[in-house]
Amino acid sequence: MDKELIRKYKKIAIVEDDLNLQQLLVKNLKKEGFDCTGFSEGKSLIEYILKERDMIILLDQKLPDMTGKDLIDKIHSYQMKIPFIVMTGQGDEKLAVEMMKKGASDYLIKDMDLLDILPEVLDKLLSNLLTEIRLKDTENSLKIALDKNTALLNSFPDLMFLVDSDFIFKDFFPKNAKDNHLFNLSELIGENILNVFHPEVTEKIYEKVNQVFLNGKTELYDYSVIYNDQALFYESRFVPFGKNEVLIIERNVTEKKKNEDEKERLKSQLLQSQKLESIGRLAGGVAHDFNNMLNGIMGAAQLI
């Protein structure tokens, strides 16, 4: 990728109406490995960049058909951002400031040192351009990764909170989550966790978050709270999320707990029924044996 970028920005458009200087600049920069094309007017450059925009412009301020400033304005009107360096025959600080505001990478005086310093100035600009492009690519990659992570977090049914090292809520997921009896999500961001969770569990949750920051390991905490005379059950996980954040995952398991309790109740009823059935069978057997004994005794009595 770097080789391709270098090839693009090694292309220099030299806009200089002094043909002798223009040819000298082209010749000198070609020796340094740059691909140079000379232009004497702003109009001819515009026609060129509408077809080929990957380049660096070396721009004379005074041209036959327009000023360097007018030429840059014209380029910007086409929604194009092309790196450029301004050259002028005399120092003008006001002009230099104006051109820098318009995006000039440098401002050079056309003196005896120009040919010597120009390759170094262009190499520096090229290095800065490559760094800027790499940073932009990195930012785009990070944004893509962040968007993917956010989409993944938004797909989970559990309520999740992102907390920083100051124990402040930074974000929550999923974004379509609604307020509930424990959390007013619209007012959550920026709050300290000590001011948000149910008073019965706040201290323990604070302790768990702090443990994650200290040891970098996932912590677990299951708890219940009373709301409107009803017991609510939660499973919480505290997960390291980057260097300075913790992801709190809150799962409401009240229905699961109710189902488990109901299952235990039915199991207990079944065991009780099985016990009663066993007792009934035992009592029936005893009664049968007793009847046999009683019949024997009554038969004997009749013989007497």
Side-chain angles (χ1 to χ4, degrees):
M1 179 180 177
D2 283 356
K3 289 182 179 180
E4 180 65 18
L5 290 173
I6 291 172
R7 186 192 66 77
K8 284 182 179 180
Y9 290 110
K10 277 278 189 175
K11 188 178 294 183
I12 310 296
I14 301 174
V15 191
E16 170 60 57
D17 63 329
D18 183 336
L19 291 179
N20 290 328
L21 179 56
Q22 181 194 121
Q23 291 171 4
L24 189 58
L25 290 169
V26 169
K27 181 180 178 180
N28 227 50
L29 291 176
K30 280 186 175 180
K31 287 181 180 179
E32 299 293 332
F34 292 94
D35 179 10
C36 301
T37 305
F39 302 89
S40 299
E41 297 180 342
K43 180 182 177 181
S44 57
L45 176 69
I46 293 293
E47 293 173 350
Y48 179 71
I49 64 176
L50 288 175
K51 301 175 183 177
E52 181 68 58
R53 63 180 62 187
D54 293 323
M55 69 187 77
I56 295 173
I57 301 174
L58 191 57
L59 175 64
D60 184 15
Q61 166 58 16
K62 294 182 178 180
L63 298 170
D65 56 344
M66 64 183 75
T67 66
K69 186 166 60 173
D70 293 336
L71 178 55
I72 294 303
D73 288 339
K74 186 70 173 176
I75 292 172
H76 288 169
S77 71
Y78 289 106
Q79 305 301 314
M80 292 187 291
K81 185 179 180 181
I82 299 176
F84 67 96
I85 295 172
V86 178
M87 301 183 296
T88 183
Q90 57 184 8
D92 187 335
E93 291 184 3
K94 183 179 179 182
L95 175 63
V97 171
E98 288 180 1
M99 296 305 284
M100 289 295 181
K101 287 181 178 179
K102 290 181 180 294
S105 301
D106 213 331
Y107 182 88
L108 303 177
I109 306 297
K110 290 190 286 186
D111 57 16
M112 298 297 294
D113 296 326
L114 178 63
L115 294 177
D116 293 330
I117 67 172
L118 191 52
E120 182 180 345
V121 170
L122 288 170
D123 283 336
K124 181 180 178 182
L125 173 55
L126 179 60
S127 176
N128 290 340
L129 287 172
L130 292 177
T131 300
E132 183 180 325
I133 290 169
R134 290 193 198 102
L135 286 174
K136 186 174 290 186
D137 287 343
T138 300
E139 288 175 359
N140 289 338
S141 297
L142 288 174
K143 184 179 183 304
I144 291 171
L146 180 60
D147 289 344
K148 286 182 178 179
N149 287 339
T150 301
L152 182 62
L153 291 173
N154 283 330
S155 69
F156 290 140
D158 300 326
L159 192 56
M160 291 171 281
F161 308 103
L162 202 58
V163 177
D164 67 14
S165 55
D166 293 323
F167 301 91
I168 301 297
F169 283 100
K170 306 299 291 184
D171 210 344
F172 68 88
F173 307 95
K175 289 302 182 182
N176 60 354
K178 298 180 180 179
D179 294 345
N180 59 29
H181 50 272
L182 287 181
F183 307 107
N184 185 350
L185 297 176
S186 60
E187 300 176 0
L188 188 68
I189 306 302
E191 284 289 334
N192 191 290
I193 63 175
L194 292 174
N195 303 326
V196 173
F197 284 95
H198 196 283
E200 296 178 15
V201 298
T202 294
E203 185 175 340
K204 191 67 176 180
I205 288 176
Y206 184 93
E207 177 187 321
K208 290 292 183 180
V209 172
N210 192 47
Q211 282 298 314
V212 176
F213 281 126
L214 291 175
N215 59 37
K217 297 180 180 179
T218 297
E219 293 284 334
L220 307 177
Y221 176 45
D222 297 343
Y223 65 91
S224 64
V225 295
I226 302 299
Y227 179 77
N228 286 345
D229 299 324
Q230 179 185 1
L232 302 174
F233 297 87
Y234 286 87
E235 293 177 351
S236 297
R237 275 146 185 70
F238 306 83
V239 183
F241 200 81
K243 291 184 178 180
N244 301 307
E245 293 176 324
V246 169
L247 187 67
I248 303 176
I249 304 173
E250 289 283 315
R251 175 173 294 181
N252 188 331
V253 293
T254 303
E255 288 302 317
K256 176 185 175 183
K257 182 69 175 174
K258 287 180 179 178
N259 291 337
E260 289 176 350
D261 290 345
E262 179 65 12
K263 184 178 178 180
E264 287 297 318
R265 187 182 69 80
L266 293 174
K267 183 179 178 181
S268 178
Q269 286 182 347
L270 178 61
L271 290 174
Q272 184 68 19
S273 298
Q274 290 173 341
K275 288 180 181 178
L276 292 174
E277 184 180 348
S278 297
I279 292 172
R281 286 199 299 268
L282 178 60
V286 170
H288 178 71
D289 293 341
F290 181 76
N291 285 334
N292 288 339
M293 292 174 59
L294 184 59
N295 288 334
I297 294 172
M298 291 178 65
Q302 290 175 356
L303 292 174
I304 297 172

